Amino acid sequence: MSGLFGALGTSTRGMNVNQYGLQTSGHNIANTNTDGYSRQRVNIQTERPYYIAGVGSIGMGAKSGGVDRIVDSFIRGQTRTAYSKYTFYEQKADILGQVEGFFNEPSKNGILNQLSVMHDSWSKVASNPELPTAKTSVIENTNTFTDMLHQMSTQLKQLGNEVNDNLEKNVFDFNEKIKQLQTLNGQIFAIASDGETPNDLLDTRDGILKELSGLVNISTEFDSYGRVASLKMGGEDGFVVLSQNKRTEVKMDTLTLERKGNTGEIVISEGVMGGQLASKEEIDASLNELNQFAEEVAVKINDVYSQAKPTDKFSFFELGTEDFAATITVAKDLREHPENLVTGYEKIEDGETQKPAPGDGTLAQAVSDVFNQKNGDTGTFADHYNSIVTKNGISKQQADNTANAQLTLLNQLEYKDQSVSGVNINEEVSDVIRFSQAFQANAKVIQTISEMLDTLINRTGV
């Protein structure tokens, strides 16, 4: 349509388009501090022109081609991957840091120092075997040593249980977020199938996906409507937990760090849940090595101490059948009667058992020497325990270093994402002014056309 009525329609469309732009800028400004919000822009397009024979194409103004969500999907995907790696190492470093606190080395209150105290007490009783306080010192220092092992074993077990509890909670959270995503898929489809763009719902979708990537490494595929068509737990080769037609509940006992050949396994290597699985393995390994250490100390000292009475084998330590760090104790008789500590060797002469001579500290010295003896690959007692502490320390340091590197990368990606999708107040205020002026200009055109129509209708005629 041409003429004044055509011009009136052009201006009306212009007012509408700039009104949409003004409303969208206001929406952006209102959500400046909304976490996960992506700025939006009205896609203004030229209206199809009107063709007049002999004149040509007459412009018909502008129209809205929809409201676009300004997002770089590639950067969003990279951000999720970096976030998953960061949370893995951050969680692992946090848990191993607690283990490091249990070991408390180097410290005057640590196992290594207590081993040195035990060694010194045996050396002193070897020099003064008849001194009751020297024997008492051996028993009391050893009791302190065994108590420290008991406490450390308990702490490691409790931490392992806490990690399991938190992992179970995170599995529940993961399943709940998958439910939310499934519901969101339906909402996105309902709007997108009507030809509209569900921008705010897509922001919610991306927020849930980032939360999921913080829990575990995921791989996602989207359909033309913006729905999550496929979500795999464990990366590109992982287990499909959500598709357009199905949602699968994840069970805690199916999660593993390495495939072991069992059916139904879900191999995960990133995220908080991956960090918890990896930390639990290291806690179990530390507890196992602590048990081996306790067993080694008990067996080596018992081997020497039991030689004191060739006709009556007895032990300095009592040890359970398993869980040695939790069960190792000084023999009950010695705990109750430290004076019964044997410091020298009995001898058999002419069929008669001869008690150790007064002042004989040879047995005590032999036990003292055990502390400095190297035992195969483990070295001395101190070397063996120090190896346990060092392994945990190295793993903790590696996790810290990798977490810091991933955090730097994550910050860079999030900065890039914000530079693309974040709201710039100065830019939005500029747009408000621009759309406002354009709206007023179109209103002025309508006012002018109204005056022209009034002149044409009411002031012309016969």
Side-chain angles (χ1 to χ4, degrees):
M1 179 184 293
S2 61
L4 291 178
F5 287 103
L8 184 64
T10 298
S11 299
T12 302
R13 284 189 291 274
M15 287 183 65
N16 289 335
V17 165
N18 286 285
Q19 178 185 335
Y20 300 150
L22 190 62
Q23 185 171 347
T24 301
S25 292
H27 183 57
N28 288 338
I29 292 172
N31 286 280
T32 300
N33 297 314
T34 301
D35 188 32
Y37 176 77
S38 303
R39 64 191 177 97
Q40 300 174 12
R41 283 286 177 268
V42 174
N43 182 16
I44 300 177
Q45 301 173 354
T46 302
E47 182 63 84
R48 183 176 180 180
Y50 183 75
Y51 181 77
I52 300 178
V55 177
S57 299
I58 301 298
M60 299 300 292
K63 65 179 180 179
S64 172
V67 180
D68 295 332
R69 174 171 165 263
I70 311 302
V71 169
D72 189 323
S73 298
F74 178 71
I75 292 178
R76 285 278 168 97
Q78 285 188 314
T79 301
R80 287 194 293 269
T81 299
Y83 185 53
S84 189
K85 293 180 183 296
Y86 166 69
T87 54
F88 172 87
Y89 288 105
E90 192 266 344
Q91 180 72 188
K92 185 177 179 181
D94 177 65
I95 295 173
L96 294 185
Q98 295 181 59
V99 176
E100 194 171 56
F102 299 157
F103 287 138
N104 194 27
E105 297 290 353
S107 167
K108 291 182 179 180
N109 300 318
I111 290 287
L112 288 175
N113 183 72
Q114 194 60 30
L115 281 171
S116 178
V117 171
M118 288 168 61
H119 177 224
D120 290 343
S121 64
W122 277 104
S123 296
K124 289 177 181 178
V125 80
S127 301
N128 301 280
E130 302 302 321
L131 190 63
T133 56
K135 293 184 177 182
T136 300
S137 178
V138 169
I139 302 304
E140 292 303 320
N141 287 331
T142 307
N143 283 334
T144 300
F145 170 75
T146 57
D147 287 344
M148 293 172 71
L149 286 176
H150 297 166
Q151 181 182 14
M152 195 171 298
S153 175
T154 300
Q155 289 174 325
L156 288 173
K157 290 174 185 176
Q158 288 177 344
L159 181 60
N161 291 334
E162 289 175 9
V163 171
N164 276 338
D165 290 342
N166 289 331
L167 180 59
E168 187 172 3
K169 176 181 178 299
N170 285 328
V171 170
F172 176 81
D173 289 344
F174 180 87
N175 287 324
E176 288 300 306
K177 292 183 188 303
I178 294 297
K179 288 181 183 178
Q180 295 175 25
L181 204 56
Q182 186 181 39
T183 301
L184 195 62
N185 271 348
Q187 296 171 343
I188 290 173
F189 178 74
I191 295 177
S193 59
D194 289 337
E196 303 296 330
T197 305
N199 292 318
D200 293 329
L201 291 180
L202 294 178
D203 281 342
T204 303
R205 179 204 69 186
D206 284 354
I208 293 176
L209 289 177
K210 185 175 181 181
E211 291 173 358
L212 287 170
S213 68
L215 291 174
V216 66
N217 50 319
I218 60 174
S219 174
T220 55
E221 295 178 5
F222 306 101
D223 63 13
S224 57
Y225 296 102
R227 295 179 298 179
V228 177
S230 173
L231 189 146
K232 296 179 181 179
M233 184 182 195
E236 293 183 357
D237 298 325
F239 180 77
V240 178
V241 294
L242 179 66
S243 63
Q244 291 182 359
N245 303 316
K246 184 180 179 182
R247 175 179 60 84
T248 303
E249 194 92 357
V250 174
K251 303 295 183 183
M252 179 175 165
D253 57 4
T254 63
L255 305 181
T256 180
L257 287 172
E258 296 180 0
R259 190 170 301 282
K260 300 173 183 177
N262 299 325
T263 58
E265 288 179 334
I266 304 177
V267 181
I268 61 175
S269 58
E270 296 173 11
V272 170
M273 292 161 64
Q276 289 169 335
L277 280 177
S279 299
K280 184 60 170 61
E281 281 198 357
E282 298 212 18
I283 290 172
D284 291 342
S286 294
L287 184 58
N288 183 55
E289 290 194 50
L290 189 67
N291 285 329
Q292 292 176 3
F293 166 74
E295 181 185 24
E296 180 182 50
V297 171
V299 169
K300 292 294 182 182
I301 290 179
N302 280 347
D303 283 347
V304 174
Y305 189 76
S306 64
Q307 296 175 20
K309 297 182 179 182
T311 60
D312 182 17
K313 298 294 183 182
F314 68 116
S315 301
F316 179 79
F317 283 110
E318 293 176 354
L319 202 62
T321 56
E322 58 182 14
D323 204 9
F324 303 121
T327 59
I328 184 174
T329 60
V330 176
K332 182 179 180 181
D333 175 62
L334 295 178
R335 292 200 309 270
E336 296 176 352
H337 304 285
E339 67 276 8
N340 290 342
L341 180 71
V342 178
T343 60
Y345 294 96
E346 291 184 354
K347 297 180 181 179
I348 299 177
E349 294 183 0
D350 300 328
E352 297 287 335
T353 300
Q354 303 293 327
K355 296 291 185 182
D360 182 2
T362 52
L363 174 62
Q365 185 59 52
V367 174
S368 175
D369 292 342
V370 171
F371 285 83
N372 293 322
Q373 290 177 1
K374 293 187 178 296
N375 306 303
D377 295 334
T378 62
T380 63
F381 294 154
D383 291 337
H384 189 175
Y385 183 77
N386 192 54
S387 173
I388 301 172
V389 176
T390 301
K391 286 179 182 178
N392 181 79
I394 291 174
S395 186
K396 166 70 164 60
Q397 186 176 37
Q398 289 175 341
D400 278 331
N401 293 340
T402 309
N404 290 334
Q406 286 298 322
L407 180 59
T408 300
L409 175 61
L410 178 61
N411 288 336
Q412 291 174 348
L413 289 170
E414 288 184 335
Y415 176 79
K416 286 183 180 180
D417 183 59
Q418 279 298 306
S419 67
V420 174
S421 302
V423 177
N424 185 314
I425 291 294
N426 293 331
E427 182 180 342
E428 297 303 328
V429 171
S430 176
D431 284 345
V432 167
I433 296 172
R434 181 164 59 91
F435 290 129
S436 175
Q437 290 178 339
F439 183 90
Q440 293 172 13
N442 279 283
K444 183 65 176 177
V445 172
I446 290 177
Q447 180 183 357
T448 301
I449 293 173
S450 178
E451 292 172 356
M452 293 173 67
L453 287 171
D454 180 66
T455 299
L456 179 63
I457 295 172
N458 298 318
R459 300 183 187 185
T460 61
V462 180

